[in-house]
Amino acid sequence: MLHILYLAHDLSDPAIRRRVLALQTGNAEVTLAGFRRGENAGAAIGSLSTIELGTTEDARFVQRAGAVAKACLNLGASLRGVAKPDIVIARNLEMLALARRAVSLFGGDIPVVYECLDIHRLLLRQDFGGRMLRAAEARLGRGISLLVTSSPAYVDNYFDPLSGIDAPVMLLENKVLDLDDDIPLVPGPRPPADDEPWKIGWFGALRCRKSLDLLSRFSRAMEGKVEIIVRGRPSYAELKDFDSFMRGEPFMSFRGAYRNPEDLSEIYGEVQFAWAIDFFEEGQNSAWLLPNRIYEGCRYGTVPIAIKGTETARFIARRDIGFVLEDASVEGLVELFSRIDRQSYTDAASRIVEQGARQWTFRRDDCLDLVQRLSAIANSEETAFRSHARTRPQGSAAI
């Protein structure tokens, strides 16, 4: 059985839970170690014990760097009693530093996988600080066996032209973890009753002030014809007044956190549209990402709304699904919903149904394939991973 040491930047992130569950389903033994940025009972992974390396805080890079440095010094004690892993996966840049330290502690001959699903704005700066951070990433990433990322735009806009990482790329999309043995079906259209409003769901990591303000002003302009339902984990570092803001909204409601994937059917089932727009790092990471919301929404028959000029917009345009805004404005949203009626919505939702659930989900066989790929690296059967320059992204369904 493959033994993976998984180093996580945030043990309370539901995405970490999904990845670990996928690896376990693929018959890997996982030792999970990482930092915590708050409590989230929905991110618990059954009986799996975790090794906490400290606490970090959102939007505090210096604090996080200090926590990583301290964890590196104490890593020998933290990993005492842990058997030597076959492979180490480092989720995000700060964990890559810990991966290097762990490999040295275990003997120096363990392959490392760098999993980078967001490009932090500091890495994109063209000043001395940005260049130094990219140099650190290149140094820490020297000789890694595999780079895992979730969008081809990350490769085109960062890893190829700017990053010093020189490794093959595996594209693992943010698909829905679905371990049900039955073939999943995408629910059909569910228009609101005649006396009910259209509902837009904004779910997941809530950190975008511009989205919050835009949806507020839009829902007020529609005077109750559109309702915004918000669920997930607010980043209070970015949205300090989130709770009081939501209490003052007549047509928006915050319904709290949810379990992923267990609660997805329920929460997406009560909305017709998914807000698949993010302005948090506008023009950079936000323009390049393929968010969970696309896959989750489409898996449960919810029509995505994207903004022109983003990878998300290109993704849904290629599949002829969803709606794309020309500009991020109240007027643009009002104009869009002036064109949406029961028939146009039903047509859009039906096109998602026709796609089938397979391309939105990460199945049990995908888990097995992923672990088999990692096992091949650990067993040196894919020696090209360690000696050859980066190839183009290799397709693979993923969470």
Side-chain angles (χ1 to χ4, degrees):
M1 177 180 289
L2 183 72
H3 178 203
I4 299 172
L5 174 59
Y6 195 102
L7 298 173
H9 68 300
D10 181 5
L11 295 172
S12 59
D13 186 343
I16 299 300
R17 175 178 184 263
R18 295 196 301 274
R19 184 69 89 225
V20 171
L21 288 174
L23 294 170
Q24 290 178 322
T25 301
N27 293 327
E29 177 188 355
V30 181
T31 297
L32 177 62
F35 297 97
R36 191 170 294 280
R37 294 189 194 175
E39 294 300 323
N40 181 9
I45 311 172
S47 59
L48 179 70
S49 60
T50 59
I51 300 170
E52 294 201 18
L53 304 176
T55 59
T56 55
E57 300 178 29
D58 281 335
R60 292 191 60 189
F61 181 78
V62 174
Q63 185 272 336
R64 285 161 54 185
V68 170
K70 182 178 179 180
C72 281
L73 291 174
N74 299 327
L75 196 61
S78 298
L79 297 179
R80 186 177 295 122
V82 174
K84 181 178 180 179
D86 301 304
I87 197 166
V88 177
I89 300 178
R91 178 80 167 234
N92 286 8
L93 177 55
E94 59 259 50
M95 307 315 293
L96 192 54
L98 283 166
R100 286 304 183 197
R101 174 62 176 153
V103 168
S104 67
L105 290 171
F106 283 114
D109 58 349
I110 304 171
V112 173
V113 173
Y114 178 29
E115 187 174 20
C116 183
L117 307 187
D118 286 292
I119 309 300
H120 197 281
R121 59 185 177 272
L122 294 179
L123 283 164
L124 298 168
R125 287 168 49 169
Q126 295 303 313
D127 59 8
F128 177 77
R131 291 193 296 272
M132 289 297 292
L133 197 57
R134 289 192 295 275
E137 181 186 51
R139 184 174 64 257
L140 292 169
R142 187 176 297 124
I144 63 170
S145 297
L146 186 66
L147 168 66
V148 174
T149 193
S150 57
S151 170
Y154 288 149
V155 179
D156 294 337
N157 293 284
Y158 177 69
F159 287 112
D160 272 350
L162 290 175
S163 169
I165 296 292
D166 186 18
V169 177
M170 176 186 285
L171 181 65
L172 294 184
E173 299 170 75
N174 291 308
K175 295 189 177 184
V176 177
L177 183 62
D178 190 339
L179 303 179
D180 194 329
D181 290 331
D182 295 330
I183 298 175
L185 298 176
V186 175
R190 42 187 183 276
D194 291 337
D195 58 343
E196 293 183 351
W198 295 108
K199 293 184 176 66
I200 300 175
W202 181 27
F203 303 149
L206 308 172
R207 59 184 183 177
C208 180
R209 165 60 67 178
K210 187 171 180 177
S211 285
L212 186 66
D213 292 340
L214 178 57
L215 290 170
S216 168
R217 290 185 288 116
F218 164 62
S219 63
R220 289 171 183 264
M222 294 299 290
E223 298 179 329
K225 297 183 180 67
V226 177
E227 179 183 348
I228 314 298
I229 297 176
V230 184
R231 293 179 181 266
R233 298 175 64 208
S235 171
Y236 290 102
E238 304 296 336
L239 306 173
K240 295 181 175 62
D241 62 340
F242 178 82
D243 294 333
S244 60
F245 185 100
M246 292 302 300
R247 285 195 295 269
E249 288 301 305
F251 308 113
M252 296 179 69
S253 59
F254 178 54
R255 309 284 180 87
Y258 56 91
R259 295 175 302 159
N260 187 333
E262 291 88 344
D263 297 337
L264 294 180
S265 175
E266 177 185 350
I267 67 173
Y268 280 97
E270 64 175 327
V271 301
Q272 289 83 37
F273 303 94
W275 186 254
I277 298 174
D278 185 286
F279 304 104
F280 179 62
E281 292 177 348
E282 196 169 358
Q284 297 179 338
N285 189 72
S286 293
W288 306 333
L289 57 74
L290 290 175
N292 296 335
R293 301 174 184 119
I294 302 177
Y295 304 94
E296 295 169 358
C298 290
R299 164 65 185 91
Y300 293 104
T302 304
V303 179
I305 299 174
I307 187 76
K308 184 178 179 180
T310 63
E311 188 68 15
T312 302
R314 289 186 285 272
F315 180 91
I316 69 175
R318 287 194 297 269
R319 291 158 178 78
D320 190 26
I321 56 173
F323 296 102
V324 176
L325 291 172
E326 288 292 320
D327 62 276
S329 66
V330 171
E331 294 75 18
L333 278 165
V334 170
E335 194 277 330
L336 171 64
F337 275 81
S338 71
R339 294 185 282 109
I340 294 177
D341 56 19
R342 296 175 70 88
Q343 187 59 54
S344 60
Y345 158 73
T346 298
D347 290 345
S350 296
R351 287 196 294 273
I352 294 174
V353 173
E354 291 168 3
Q355 299 278 320
R358 190 67 179 87
Q359 69 170 298
W360 315 116
T361 54
F362 194 74
R363 310 286 294 163
R364 193 175 298 275
D365 58 336
D366 296 316
C367 298
L368 292 167
D369 289 345
L370 175 59
V371 172
Q372 185 176 29
R373 180 81 179 273
L374 296 173
S375 296
I377 296 174
N379 294 329
S380 300
E381 294 175 9
E382 296 188 13
T383 55
F385 277 111
R386 304 187 193 183
S387 59
H388 291 180
R390 177 163 64 242
T391 61
R392 297 301 298 165
Q394 307 197 19
S396 177
I399 59 174

